[in-house]
Amino acid sequence: VALGCTKVLDKNDLNVVDDRIWDDEVQATLYVNTLYDHNMPTMSLGLNEAYSDESYSSSQPITDLMYGFYGSGDIDAVRELHRDNYQLIRRINIGIDGLEASGLDDRLKNPILGQMLFFRAWRYWQMVKLYGGIPMVSTAQDPFFEEDLGVSRSLTRESVAKILEDLDLAIAYLPTNWVLSKDRGRLTSGAAAAFKGRVLLSWASPLFNRNNDQSRWQQAYDANV
């Protein structure tokens, strides 16, 4: 008997994300849980806790910048305003790509996928507010191939359209309420619809709508009624 046949050292590395996790609801949920940590704002009042609720950011560096404690060139404030957005989006895209290709039943898959789509829309909207049109990356890129990284900058309306597309899917996939108590606090279809309404109101506002296109206001109205 060949001792090598026992494959004692042939073990799965449980610290590596591979395609098998997307076929398991528990593991896929654990992955989306990390996206909450990556993308949701933190609550860090710190030294500014004596100020009123209306006068601080959830980020300590931004709050300090608001009150003039930091200069505009301070590295903490700059880092907070310009986080590693595309790194975070890549993590979201890894999850979306994996789930869409998985064999997980749609009943289990869609609520997880809806949360990821919301976070991708959320992350892109933070950049569109600052820069207008941006490169919209819809799949996890291979960092070792430059041709996969050369995504052209989209027009602002194209970027907004992609954000709205993700939010429409999130609205369709997410539940109105989560049944299990352990899931309370997760994103819902109502949260996605509310965020879509906010995006459309900004898109209709003078910030983006210099010619006061009335159709944008109508679209925002329809989304918010």
Side-chain angles (χ1 to χ4, degrees):
V1 179
L3 295 177
C5 293
T6 59
K7 298 182 179 181
V8 174
L9 300 179
D10 189 10
K11 303 292 184 182
N12 295 327
D13 187 349
L14 300 180
N15 294 313
V16 175
V17 175
D18 63 32
D19 292 341
R20 288 170 296 183
I21 77 168
W22 311 119
D23 292 323
D24 184 276
E25 180 191 11
V26 173
Q27 294 188 71
T29 299
L30 289 174
Y31 188 90
V32 82
N33 287 351
T34 66
L35 299 182
Y36 280 84
D37 182 51
H38 294 159
N39 293 279
M40 295 294 288
T42 58
M43 179 58 67
S44 54
L45 304 183
L47 299 176
N48 300 317
E49 61 186 3
Y51 296 116
S52 70
D53 292 348
E54 292 77 19
S55 61
Y56 65 80
S57 166
S58 59
S59 163
Q60 182 71 46
I62 296 301
T63 307
D64 289 340
L65 183 62
M66 288 166 58
Y67 284 99
F69 300 149
Y70 286 155
S72 60
D74 184 88
I75 187 62
D76 287 333
V78 172
R79 185 184 295 115
E80 189 67 22
L81 286 168
H82 305 280
R83 298 183 66 185
D84 298 326
N85 284 301
Y86 282 103
Q87 179 188 66
L88 297 174
I89 288 169
R90 185 174 191 275
R91 293 172 183 171
I92 296 169
N93 282 336
I94 287 172
I96 292 174
D97 290 348
L99 271 176
E100 288 181 338
S102 79
L104 195 63
D105 184 87
D106 286 348
R107 179 180 58 84
L108 303 175
K109 176 195 302 186
N110 287 346
I112 304 172
L113 187 57
Q115 294 170 82
M116 294 181 178
L117 289 164
F118 179 99
F119 279 128
R120 185 165 69 181
W122 171 269
R123 185 54 54 195
Y124 272 131
W125 180 241
Q126 307 314 307
M127 289 194 286
V128 169
K129 287 191 297 184
L130 288 172
Y131 310 117
I134 55 173
M136 301 295 289
V137 182
S138 299
T139 189
Q141 297 169 303
D142 189 332
F144 298 104
F145 293 94
E146 291 186 6
E147 61 269 22
D148 194 35
L149 304 178
V151 179
S152 299
R153 182 176 182 178
S154 301
L155 297 173
T156 304
R157 65 173 178 270
E158 294 170 340
S159 296
V160 172
K162 179 58 182 172
I163 290 169
L164 295 175
E165 179 184 327
D166 280 354
L167 288 175
D168 283 337
L169 285 174
I171 292 168
Y173 290 162
L174 289 169
T176 304
N177 291 295
W178 293 88
V179 176
L180 299 180
S181 59
K182 68 181 180 64
D183 290 324
R184 290 174 184 168
R186 290 187 183 277
L187 294 163
T188 63
S189 59
F195 181 47
K196 177 183 177 181
R198 178 181 294 184
V199 169
L200 286 170
L201 281 171
S202 295
W203 180 235
S205 75
L207 178 65
F208 292 106
N209 192 10
R210 301 297 176 83
N211 295 322
N212 199 26
D213 182 350
Q214 293 299 299
S215 65
R216 295 191 193 180
W217 287 111
Q218 185 63 53
Q219 191 178 11
Y221 174 82
D222 293 340
N224 283 281
V225 291

